[in-house]
Amino acid sequence: MTAELPRKRIIGYADKLSLAPGETIAFKASCEDIAEYRADIVRLICADLHPKGRGWIEKEIASPVSGSYPGREQAIPAGSWGRVPSAPGLCSESLTVALHLWPTTPMKGEQALLARMDVSGKRGWMLMIDATGALALRIATDKGIATVSTGVALQERVWSFVGASFDGASGAIRVWQRPQKTWPGHDATGDGAGEVAGAIDASGLPLGIAARPGREEGPRRFCLDPCNGKLEAPRLYGRAMDAGEAMALQAAPLGERALIAAWDFARDTMGETIRDIGPSAHDGELVNVPTRAMTGHNWNGEVLDWKAAPAQYGAIHFHDDDIADCGWETDFSFTVPQGLKSGIYAARLVAGEQNDHIPFVVRAPRGSASADALFLMPSASYLAYANEHAAVESAGAMDAFSGHLSGLSAQDLLLDERPDLGYSLYCHHGDGSGVAVSSRLRPVLNMRPGVTNAWVGPGGTFPWQFNADLPLMDFLEHHGFACDVATDEDLHEEGLDLLSRYRVVMTGSHPEYYSKPMLDALDGWLQRGGRLMYLGGNGFYWRVAFHPEIAGVMELRRGEDGIRDWVAQGGEYYQAFDGAYGGMWERQGRPIHALAGVGMAGQGFDISGYYRRTDDSRNPRAAFVFAGIEDEIIGDFGVVGGGAAGIEVDRCDFSKGSPPNTLVLASSEGLSDIYYPGPEEIDNARPFLDAVQNPQVRAELTFHETANGGAVFSTGSIAWIGSLSWNGFDNNVAGVTANVLRRFLDPEPFPEP
Amino acid sequence: MDAIDPARKDLVEEFRRNPVGRQSGDLRRLLNTIRRHPDLPPYVLVCTKAQREWRLATKPGGKGAVTTLLDHPPFNDPLEAEWQVFRLRWKALTGEDLPHDR
């Protein structure tokens, strides 16, 4: 067997996703066994490698970036933890450490809970879970190293009060664990005792919470022995105590004279600072954005909003595979010259057969528009899917789900090998908990031109998100339509002010994730006469929150309902980043249908169908849509499943809020028997749910007027954009899209019907 | 999980003609069974040339499980891969060889 698995050996990311002329973006790359690579800036037009697609079209931009750069490997400091800077006040001859712990991988191996231990492990102390899953304290003195364990494995996902003490005078060590819950034959209560000679000296060492502080390289803070699980209310005292005394003090430690620090994770929940409520304010910083606003050991199930009872939400869930910012050194930067056309660009990195494209958006100059139309790049949805792992983790179950074999790419294989590249909001962490936070400050290997989704389409042949949206650029270029590009993050930051410069907004193929500022702005703009072309499916579905301090970091709680690859724990439906109730927008009085005319109806990932026109398509109000198009069947072709109606589809539903003036212009046919509705459509499972037997699972092409002369045109299908370039753009999907765009660009208000 | 009925050559023929897309209820149940069968190798394709070439491999579920390329000629059409994997599964469960060519 001579074939080898394909391997991706150059990866990178940028500090920004979108920028305007005069602004600078920094690119960071990591190479494996590559001494030198070439970089250029290119404008991306199309990367449709389907045998019947348009192929790879990019235009090189003359810039000072063009040239060769030395390749180097840059490590990723994965793992979330809390870092408290070293301070003389953190030192003591004797100590007691205690906290509430909900371990999720107690048998993983050594995991630090609270540690001031140097990198070599030969100086300091560390409260930890040992290799047998038991609570332990390691003391490293000038005379030796001792690790004292309870010898009893902690129960996974059971709260325990754990702690340990060291008496500097006698050298005595005590450790304990007190589970909140026991079962006959399963009592994880444990104690241990031992001793060590010598004195501890942790001077100069930062204190780590949920990990042992490791080496530091510039902004990169590596950690050692990271733990998985929820930690709550760590305490540090300057004298030795036994379990009973420490437990008695745990809830109210401030009266204890020996208190050194008492961290309260229920304070400043929306940010990355952890507060010490003790007298010396040994505040710390969280690294890699662990999940906050988590239920604590005392959550009583009566309160669901962390803001209403912060004391019951004093836990942080740490993961050894969290990554918020790789912190890599910059390889090169690019300052966008004045006059560079708004569009989708990339830094192209090439070394022999290895390459990477790091995408970015050039916006119109700040405060202005250079066109009447805007492509609103659904970057929040790209971020939700960033480094998605379903195909590499699900084996044959994915075969059955998507109706064909998956096709793993070099990107998929690297993601599988490198958990430090982090996960998508569809993934589970290594400890089995759902991934609630995603960041773009890391290589996002599936947000790349030419990259298809491993489990979507036979052999992973269908594009997804970023690469599925690029053909729209190709279409606009072909027709000579002027169009600016901005991202969801731009909309989140600038709101209505951004949209108010444009007459038409076009979405991508799958704008699924919206923050409240984004949705409010889009809704408000529509009511002021804006014209929206929703060119996708399953849009406006989930509510997300962007981090209040770190740009490019986003949070999701998969709560209550909707298509969920994981489900948030009870009591953890409220977002930490903004305190809002997370989940589906339609569960929060913001039905998709009211905005778009259509809303999520179902999904399948094998083939696409087509649309058949309805009588409404002959309504004079919609005459402009089909001008010059006599075909009854629309979109029975395309590179995404062979049709324009498919993958994830939306239908008009007046009972769910579609405006009464919505015209259903065409309705889909030909979806397969593995198209199913989402859980929000299934109140009770029935043996006729699939699209062959269930007429509710369909895509619909709709049009409706909004206030002040505005309008909405929706395709209700992820596959639509994949049909635009078929037959050299000479097809009825391109025709309909061009007709709608031309009319929407016309300032003539749409009359009230 | 239902046992595979080797006599259902009609389902084999249906799959041979149409390996992906709308299928009969009986074929769908057969596919759901053999694709998720715990005793069969977890087949997957590895794409070696974008949209042009795939190789057959196994990849167990879970994080970081080893991907193993199998000694099998590359495919230039993912639908051909569907048929060959169907043959492998059918052979393993019924002992019968199905024709190589689609």
Side-chain angles (χ1 to χ4, degrees):
Chain A
M1 189 78 217
T2 54
E4 291 182 1
L5 291 170
R7 185 166 185 83
K8 189 163 180 61
R9 294 193 288 115
I10 183 166
I11 55 177
Y13 70 98
D15 64 340
K16 295 187 175 79
L17 179 59
S18 85
L19 66 165
E23 297 170 1
T24 300
I25 182 171
F27 296 95
K28 301 133 191 296
S30 180
C31 298
E32 178 189 313
D33 299 328
I34 290 174
E36 189 178 76
Y37 68 87
R38 180 179 172 81
D40 294 282
I41 300 297
V42 297
R43 187 157 70 87
L44 298 172
I45 312 288
C46 184
D48 177 6
L49 301 176
H50 187 281
K52 293 186 176 175
R54 291 257 298 157
W56 197 291
I57 307 170
E58 62 184 19
K59 292 185 178 172
E60 208 167 294
I61 305 298
S63 85
V65 165
S66 291
S68 294
Y69 297 87
R72 58 178 166 178
E73 208 156 346
Q74 302 210 60
I76 296 175
S80 61
W81 55 293
R83 183 185 183 279
V84 180
S86 175
L90 286 172
C91 296
S92 59
E93 289 183 7
S94 300
L95 61 84
T96 296
V97 286
L99 70 150
H100 297 287
L101 173 67
W102 193 75
T104 49
T105 58
M107 303 307 289
K108 182 185 88 158
E110 290 192 354
Q111 299 168 70
L113 300 172
L114 222 62
R116 292 189 77 197
M117 177 74 80
D118 73 349
V119 173
S120 73
K122 294 176 178 170
R123 180 168 77 89
W125 55 265
M126 175 161 82
L127 183 72
M128 56 191 276
I129 301 171
D130 70 14
T132 70
L135 199 282
L137 181 68
R138 179 169 294 158
I139 300 283
T141 73
D142 51 344
K143 300 277 177 52
I145 301 173
T147 304
V148 176
S149 168
T150 62
V152 180
L154 291 153
Q155 287 274 3
E156 184 180 319
R157 288 176 161 81
V158 172
W159 279 107
S160 293
F161 176 69
V162 301
S165 66
F166 170 67
D167 186 327
S170 66
I173 297 171
R174 279 181 286 199
V175 297
W176 63 83
Q177 61 194 48
R178 299 284 181 269
Q180 237 171 248
K181 194 169 183 181
T182 63
W183 295 264
H186 293 274
D187 184 349
T189 302
D191 291 272
E195 60 181 28
V196 65
I200 47 172
D201 173 17
S203 59
L205 299 174
L207 182 145
I209 297 173
R212 179 159 64 101
R215 71 184 193 278
E216 301 194 353
E217 296 171 1
R220 275 182 294 177
R221 288 169 170 162
F222 292 84
C223 68
L224 300 163
D225 309 322
C227 85
N228 289 311
K230 293 200 278 192
L231 276 66
E232 180 186 354
R235 309 287 188 237
L236 174 62
Y237 304 94
R239 67 179 178 84
M241 301 177 192
D242 61 20
E245 192 178 4
M247 188 178 269
L249 281 171
Q250 179 67 12
L254 298 182
E256 166 58 40
R257 291 169 63 100
L259 178 70
I260 294 175
W263 290 280
D264 182 358
F265 296 161
R267 307 267 176 125
D268 295 343
T269 302
M270 296 181 188
E272 299 307 306
T273 300
I274 42 176
R275 297 292 181 194
D276 168 20
I277 59 172
S280 304
H282 293 294
D283 293 344
E285 292 297 322
L286 293 170
V287 180
N288 282 328
V289 191
T291 311
R292 301 195 69 168
M294 296 276 102
T295 52
H297 79 289
N298 56 348
W299 182 61
N300 63 13
E302 299 291 329
V303 183
L304 302 175
D305 178 0
W306 60 267
K307 302 186 301 300
Q312 294 185 40
Y313 285 86
I316 296 177
H317 196 141
F318 296 90
H319 307 94
D320 61 5
D321 48 17
D322 275 325
I323 179 69
D325 187 349
C326 288
W328 287 355
E329 290 180 24
T330 296
D331 284 38
F332 57 89
S333 296
F334 173 60
T335 300
V336 176
Q338 299 296 334
L340 188 65
K341 178 180 176 178
S342 177
I344 302 173
Y345 291 77
R348 182 184 65 198
L349 282 51
V350 179
E353 293 186 349
Q354 291 287 324
N355 67 78
D356 197 16
H357 282 72
I358 306 170
F360 63 99
V361 164
V362 171
R363 302 179 47 181
R366 291 276 168 196
S368 70
S370 53
D372 288 332
L374 175 74
F375 170 54
L376 181 60
M377 178 194 267
S379 60
S381 297
Y382 300 168
L383 199 48
Y385 282 94
N387 291 350
E388 191 247 341
H389 280 61
V392 291
E393 294 182 5
S394 300
M398 192 50 91
D399 262 38
F401 173 74
S402 52
H404 51 71
L405 292 159
S406 296
L408 307 181
S409 65
Q411 288 85 352
D412 296 308
L413 295 170
L414 190 65
L415 289 174
D416 192 40
E417 178 186 320
R418 296 274 308 267
D420 56 342
L421 285 163
Y423 293 102
S424 76
L425 299 180
Y426 288 80
C427 300
H428 294 84
H429 287 286
D431 73 350
S433 59
V435 176
V437 177
S438 180
S439 166
R440 60 170 166 77
L441 301 173
R442 56 176 171 148
V444 177
L445 304 187
N446 58 350
M447 187 188 156
R448 292 290 186 265
V451 170
T452 52
N453 188 317
W455 56 269
V456 183
T461 44
F462 298 173
W464 193 252
Q465 291 286 10
F466 179 80
N467 194 40
D469 294 341
L470 272 181
L472 181 61
M473 298 296 100
D474 195 18
F475 165 83
L476 296 169
E477 184 97 354
H478 174 82
H479 281 280
F481 286 116
C483 182
D484 286 349
V485 181
T487 67
D488 282 349
E489 278 185 65
D490 295 325
L491 179 59
H492 176 82
E493 290 298 323
E494 300 169 29
L496 189 59
D497 188 46
L498 171 68
L499 298 184
S500 63
R501 296 174 209 135
Y502 296 97
R503 192 166 294 133
V504 182
V505 168
M506 285 173 277
T507 72
S509 57
H510 191 18
E512 184 178 4
Y513 293 81
Y514 263 69
S515 71
K516 184 167 188 295
M518 288 166 57
L519 196 61
D520 286 349
L522 190 61
D523 213 4
W525 171 79
L526 274 175
Q527 298 312 316
R528 286 162 175 76
R531 286 92 184 262
L532 174 68
M533 294 175 69
Y534 167 38
L535 302 176
N538 189 16
F540 319 106
Y541 192 75
W542 290 108
R543 180 178 191 149
V544 289
F546 283 97
H547 196 284
E549 298 164 356
I550 311 171
V553 176
M554 193 177 85
E555 181 189 27
L556 165 75
R557 298 292 169 109
R558 290 201 190 274
E560 192 179 349
D561 206 350
I563 300 167
R564 294 159 295 175
D565 287 48
W566 56 271
V567 179
Q569 295 284 310
E572 296 178 350
Y573 288 6
Y574 281 79
Q575 297 164 160
F577 289 0
D578 64 358
Y581 183 68
M584 294 179 72
W585 275 117
E586 80 168 40
R587 287 280 188 174
Q588 303 185 31
R590 305 289 292 267
I592 310 156
H593 306 70
L595 179 91
V598 295
M600 176 60 168
Q603 61 178 21
F605 302 96
D606 53 351
I607 59 165
S608 297
Y610 54 86
Y611 303 85
R612 184 182 297 276
R613 287 173 60 174
T614 64
D615 289 346
D616 269 358
S617 76
R618 270 88 188 176
N619 187 307
R621 287 162 53 206
F624 70 94
V625 177
F626 295 99
I629 298 170
E630 299 300 323
D631 305 335
E632 282 298 307
I633 302 298
I634 303 294
D636 53 345
F637 47 80
V639 300
V640 180
I647 310 306
E648 297 188 20
V649 294
D650 300 350
R651 71 169 188 276
C652 174
D653 192 329
F654 297 107
S655 73
K656 288 189 146 196
S658 293
N661 58 320
T662 303
L663 289 176
V664 177
L665 308 174
S667 194
S668 72
E669 298 176 358
L671 302 178
S672 81
D673 57 305
I674 59 167
Y675 274 73
Y676 277 81
E680 71 276 11
E681 297 261 304
I682 306 172
D683 297 329
N684 197 351
R686 296 177 171 87
F688 41 84
L689 287 172
D690 67 86
V692 174
Q693 306 175 82
N694 180 359
Q696 295 290 75
V697 179
R698 65 184 191 270
E700 282 179 334
L701 215 60
T702 63
F703 166 77
H704 70 270
E705 301 87 351
T706 60
N708 295 302
V712 177
F713 170 78
S714 294
T715 66
S717 162
I718 280 182
W720 180 268
I721 289 174
S723 297
L724 286 172
S725 66
W726 195 258
N727 191 35
F729 299 98
D730 185 11
N731 66 74
N732 53 31
V733 170
V736 164
T737 309
N739 283 345
V740 173
L741 181 52
R742 281 193 199 96
R743 174 61 185 91
F744 276 25
L745 284 167
D746 183 342
E748 177 69 24
F750 281 92
E752 285 192 16
Chain B
M1 212 177 259
D2 288 346
I4 305 304
D5 180 359
R8 294 298 302 272
K9 296 300 189 297
D10 58 319
L11 301 182
V12 174
E13 179 58 19
E14 183 190 346
F15 184 82
R16 190 186 64 75
R17 285 196 321 270
N18 180 34
V20 172
R22 185 183 291 205
Q23 291 161 336
S24 68
D26 283 357
L27 176 58
R28 183 62 68 194
R29 277 190 289 277
L30 169 68
L31 291 172
N32 287 345
T33 299
I34 65 176
R35 285 170 168 160
R36 297 164 57 244
H37 202 290
D39 299 334
L40 295 185
Y43 292 112
V44 70
L45 299 177
V46 172
C47 184
T48 42
K49 290 178 188 163
Q51 302 273 6
R52 296 291 189 278
E53 184 185 272
W54 294 262
R55 285 188 172 274
L56 188 58
T58 56
K59 176 81 174 79
K63 290 186 186 295
V66 175
T67 305
T68 306
L69 286 177
L70 302 180
D71 189 8
H72 195 285
F75 302 105
N76 299 118
D77 178 353
L79 300 187
E80 175 63 19
E82 292 292 337
W83 172 245
Q84 296 306 331
V85 170
F86 185 90
R87 287 181 66 238
L88 291 168
R89 288 167 167 157
W90 187 268
K91 167 81 173 175
L93 293 172
T94 69
E96 288 181 2
D97 286 310
L98 295 173
H100 180 275
D101 295 335
R102 268 180 77 207

